[in-house]
Amino acid sequence: MKVSPTSAAARVKKLSAELHRHDRLYYVLAEPEISDEQYDALMRELQELEETFPALRAPDSPTQRVGGAPTKEFATVRHSVQMLSLANTYSEEEIRDFDRRVRSLLPPAEKLQYVCELKFDGVSLTLRYAGGLLQLGATRGDGTQGDDVTNNVRTIRTIPLRIPPGKGSVTDCEVRGEVVMFRKDFQRMNEERLEAGEKTFINPRNSTAGTLKLQDPKIVAARPLRFFAYALLADAKVPERHSDRLAMLGKMGFLVDTHAKRFGTIEDVVGHWKAWEAQRESLPFDIDGVVVKVDSFAQQERLGAIAKSPRWAIACKFASRSAETLLRGIRLQVGRIGTITPVADLEPVFIGGTTVSRASLYNEDYIRELDIRVGDTVIVERGGDVIPKVTGVKRDRRPRGLKKFMFPKKCPECGSSLHRLPEEAHYFCDNDECPMQIRGRILHWASRGAMDIQRLGDAVVDQLVTASLVKNVADLYDLHQKKDALLSMERWGEKSAQKLLDGITQSLTKPYSRVLYGIGIRHVGAGVVNVLCDAFPSAAALKEASLEELQAVHDVGPRIAASVHAFFRDPQHTRLLSRLAKAGLSLAAEKKKRSAALGALSGMTFVLTGTLSSMSRPEAQERIEAQGGKVVTAVSKQVRVLVVGEDPGSKVAKAEQLGVEMWDEQHLLSMLEKRKG
Ligand code: IVH
C-alpha cells in the first residue's frame, strides 16, 4: 500500500507519541499497558515509515533508541559545571561531625534540612538538554572533562529524548544522575552469556560501565540500563530546594529515587542510613550507601566546596562488601550440561555478615587475565544476592615461586577429557554419565522453576546418585518401588522417605511448560520455554519440528533451534521422555479453557504488585491461571483483583482510585487452596 507523505507525517507523529508514552509507562512507571509484541509492531511500523520518508525522522524519534552507527572513539567534552565527587564516611561519628561542621558554617539557629537519597552503585552521567531535546550525554571522566557517549545514552529508555515544555519543567538544563543495571536484568544477561559461551560480567556496576563504553550503540540498546536522576542544573528559575528539584525531575519524565526523604535532625539521618544498610537487598538494584545533602540551595551555595567535594553533602557508605583473603586452591565444578566452572577455595573471611569460603572464578580466561595463582592474596566481593566473586589479586603480596594456574585437562569427577570450543569461554565434560552432571540435572529438575520438589536438595541428590538409585530424572519416579533401598541409606527413616516420595508424586501435576524447562535443554531457559510451548504445544510437536520451523519462531535464534533439534534427535532423550510420560508427567500443554471452567478464579482478571514471600511472580501467575484466572500487567476497570505483596508499587493508588478489590498474599493463597477441598 502506498502512503502519501501527508498521511505518513500524521502517522509518524501518532506512532512517536504512542511509543514515548509506552516507554514511560514501562520503564518509568512500571505499568505497561501493551504487550512486548504490540510494542515491537508499533516500533517496526515507525521504522519503516521513517525509512521511506527520511525527512520525517525527528531527533527525538523513539527509533533513535535502537542504536545508530558505531563510534570509533568517543570525543572528549568539557563539563559546563564541574562534576564534583562526594566525601565518604563509614561511621556514625563522622556523620555527626559533618552535621556539626555544616551548622558551624551557617548562622546559629538557622533552619536546616537534609535530604537523604540512595547512593546508587552505578556510573555517573550528565545529560545536556537544549530546547527540550537531548543534546549530549557524557561520563564524569576526571570531573572536568568526560567522554561523549550520546549515541549510547539515547538507547537508555529511562532517559527522555525530549523534555515536554510546560509549567513545572525546564527545557534548557543539565541533568545529572547514575546509570545502573537492575540485579535481575544483570543476572539474566549473565545467564544468557554463560549459555552462549560468552564472558560474564562481575557485577552490575562493572557491566554498566563496560556497556556505556561500547562502541556499537545497537549492542547498548539490547542491554538493560536505567538512569536515575539526582541533580538538576539550569539558568532558568528552578525550585530553591533540592527536594523540590527532584520532584520536578520526576515530572519532567526522569526516574528519580522514590525513597528520598527529608529530615531536620542528624539523629533521623543516622537512623535512615542504618535502616537502609539493613534493607539494601530489598531494592532491585545495588546501592552502596546513602547520600546526605543540604536541602536549601541558598545554604548549599554559602557552604561551597573544598577541593573536589561540596561541603553541603556527604556519602554515608555501608560497611564494605569486599575483603582480602588467601586463595587456598582452585577446584572445578561440573554443571548439569557439563559446563566446567572454576571455583576459588578461600581462607574463610567475614564479609558483610557472612563467612565466605568459596567464590566464583568464572572461566579459564578470567583466571588468566587477572593472573590468579593458588597462594595469592585475592580480593573477594559479595554484591547483592549474587554469589561471591574473586575480583582482584594483590600482586604486591604474592609470595615467590607461585606457579601460573594451568587449567586441568580432565574432569575431576569422571576423568573424561575436557574440551573447549574456540568460540566458547568454558570447558566442557562430554560424558553424560558424569556423576556431577547427573546431580546437576536432577537438582535442576527439582528446582523451584521446574518441578519444585523441596525435599530433593543437594545432600539428598548426592546420596541418591552415590547409591546409584537415580541416574536420570525418570528414575525418580521408580523410587516408589525402591523404598527399602531408600530406607537403607544413612539417616533415612520412614517419615523422610515418605515425604520425598510424596514430593515426587506431587510433581506429576506440574504443567508441560515446567517439564520442558526441567529436562534442561541447553540454551532453553524459562523465557524460551514459554515461546516454545506456544508454538509447539507438546513434546511430540516439538520433536516433529524441523530446524527451519524452530527458527521461524520469534525469539528462537539458530543456537536455540539447533540445541532443541539435536536434543529431540538423541535416542537417549526420547527414551527419557517416554519414561516420563509413562510415569504420568504432562508432555503436552493443557487446553486452558478446560481448567478455566473448573477453577475457583474462573473469569477473574488479576494484577500483581510487590514481592510475594511464598512464590515467585511467574509461579503466582501460573497458579492463578491454573484456577481459571487471568493475569495482566496494568490496573484498569476490567481488573477484578490487585494482589498486593511486600513493597508494592503505584498500582495500589490506582486500584484505590478505581475501586479495584485488593488481596494480600494470605488471601490469595486461601483462594488458591479452595479448589483442593
Ligand atoms: S550527588 C556533588 N547523589 O556517587 C554531588 N551522587 O562521589 C554530586 N552517586 O560518582 C553527586 N548516587 O555518581 C549524588 N543520589 C546520589 C548518588 C550519587 C550515586 C555517585 C555519583 C558519584 C559518587 C559521588
Side-chain angles (χ1 to χ4, degrees), residues 353-368:
T354 49
T355 304
V356 173
S357 53
R358 306 181 74 192
S360 177
L361 286 168
Y362 304 99
N363 54 46
E364 182 183 31
D365 293 346
Y366 187 77
I367 299 177
R368 190 177 295 154

Side-chain angles (χ1 to χ4, degrees), residues 335-576:
R336 69 186 157 86
I337 47 171
T339 318
I340 306 285
T341 317
V343 177
D345 243 329
L346 304 167
E347 184 74 37
V349 58
F350 201 64
I351 314 177
T354 49
T355 304
V356 173
S357 53
R358 306 181 74 192
S360 177
L361 286 168
Y362 304 99
N363 54 46
E364 182 183 31
D365 293 346
Y366 187 77
I367 299 177
R368 190 177 295 154
E369 265 160 39
L370 289 182
D371 186 18
I372 300 171
R373 304 182 187 195
V374 173
D376 266 334
T377 298
V378 291
I379 302 162
V380 186
E381 259 185 54
R382 201 171 77 85
D385 49 6
V386 279
I387 43 166
K389 293 141 192 188
V390 170
T391 56
V393 176
K394 303 296 285 183
R395 288 286 180 89
D396 50 337
R397 293 183 42 196
R398 173 172 288 166
R400 281 221 188 142
L402 291 191
K403 286 205 198 77
K404 264 193 187 303
F405 179 70
M406 296 299 288
F407 211 89
K409 296 285 172 282
K410 298 246 184 268
C411 174
E413 284 300 320
C414 67
S416 314
S417 295
L418 300 178
H419 71 269
R420 178 180 169 182
L421 296 173
E423 70 278 14
E424 306 229 337
H426 287 87
Y427 276 92
F428 283 91
C429 161
D430 261 345
N431 173 16
D432 271 355
E433 307 268 308
C434 174
M436 279 306 264
Q437 283 191 49
I438 295 177
R439 217 175 140 251
R441 285 195 290 266
I442 293 164
L443 279 171
H444 176 70
W445 178 259
S447 69
R448 225 174 158 195
M451 294 297 119
D452 197 13
I453 310 173
Q454 278 165 24
R455 300 285 305 175
L456 211 49
D458 269 311
V460 172
V461 171
D462 244 358
Q463 278 188 304
L464 293 173
V465 174
T466 313
S468 295
L469 279 172
V470 176
K471 276 211 162 74
N472 59 43
V473 297
D475 292 341
L476 291 171
Y477 299 87
D478 294 341
L479 284 179
H480 290 85
Q481 283 102 52
K482 300 183 182 162
K483 200 164 168 186
D484 287 345
L486 274 186
L487 287 171
S488 68
M489 292 194 314
E490 222 173 291
R491 295 186 306 276
W492 282 71
E494 178 61 38
K495 230 178 171 179
S496 47
Q498 196 50 50
K499 271 203 176 143
L500 173 66
L501 294 176
D502 287 348
I504 293 172
T505 309
Q506 266 248 305
S507 72
L508 293 173
T509 58
K510 294 280 185 263
Y512 167 60
S513 56
R514 296 278 196 123
V515 176
L516 188 59
Y517 173 70
I519 53 177
I521 306 172
R522 195 158 180 223
H523 304 314
V524 177
V528 176
V529 157
N530 289 334
V531 174
L532 284 176
C533 282
D534 283 344
F536 308 98
S538 68
L542 207 47
K543 186 173 177 205
E544 287 298 306
S546 67
L547 255 182
E548 294 70 32
E549 283 168 330
L550 284 164
Q551 271 194 56
V553 178
H554 189 58
D555 281 344
V556 174
R559 201 165 44 93
I560 300 173
S563 167
V564 174
H565 194 255
F567 184 93
F568 283 95
R569 258 130 217 96
D570 182 334
Q572 225 175 314
H573 294 148
T574 356
R575 260 199 308 280
L576 182 83

Side-chain angles (χ1 to χ4, degrees), residues 448 454 609-617 619-620 623 643-647 664-666 668-669:
R448 225 174 158 195
Q454 278 165 24
T609 183
T611 315
L612 301 177
S613 60
S614 63
M615 54 189 145
S616 65
R617 283 249 191 136
E619 209 178 325
R623 289 181 66 180
V643 178
V644 184
E646 279 283 304
D647 269 334
D664 61 10
E665 184 169 357
Q666 218 39 49
L668 173 68
L669 285 172

Side-chain angles (χ1 to χ4, degrees), residues 186-244:
F186 165 76
Q187 260 158 354
R188 188 177 318 132
M189 189 180 89
N190 257 359
E191 276 160 24
E192 281 168 14
R193 293 179 71 85
L194 187 69
E195 292 253 307
E198 292 168 20
K199 270 192 203 161
T200 47
F201 291 105
I202 296 177
N203 57 33
R205 179 181 14 92
N206 284 11
S207 73
T208 303
T211 303
L212 272 182
K213 296 250 164 91
L214 284 174
Q215 280 158 350
D216 188 349
K218 287 207 173 61
I219 307 179
V220 182
R223 300 255 180 97
L225 298 181
R226 304 187 194 228
F227 176 77
F228 280 98
Y230 57 62
L232 170 65
L233 319 175
D235 289 333
K237 205 166 151 35
V238 283
E240 203 276 324
R241 294 198 309 191
H242 174 65
S243 49
D244 293 331

Side-chain angles (χ1 to χ4, degrees), residues 84-86 117-120 124 178 230 291 293 310 312:
L84 297 173
S85 60
L86 294 169
E117 282 167 40
L118 300 176
K119 186 170 186 308
F120 304 101
S124 46
E178 197 92 346
Y230 57 62
V291 181
K293 300 176 184 173
W312 46 264

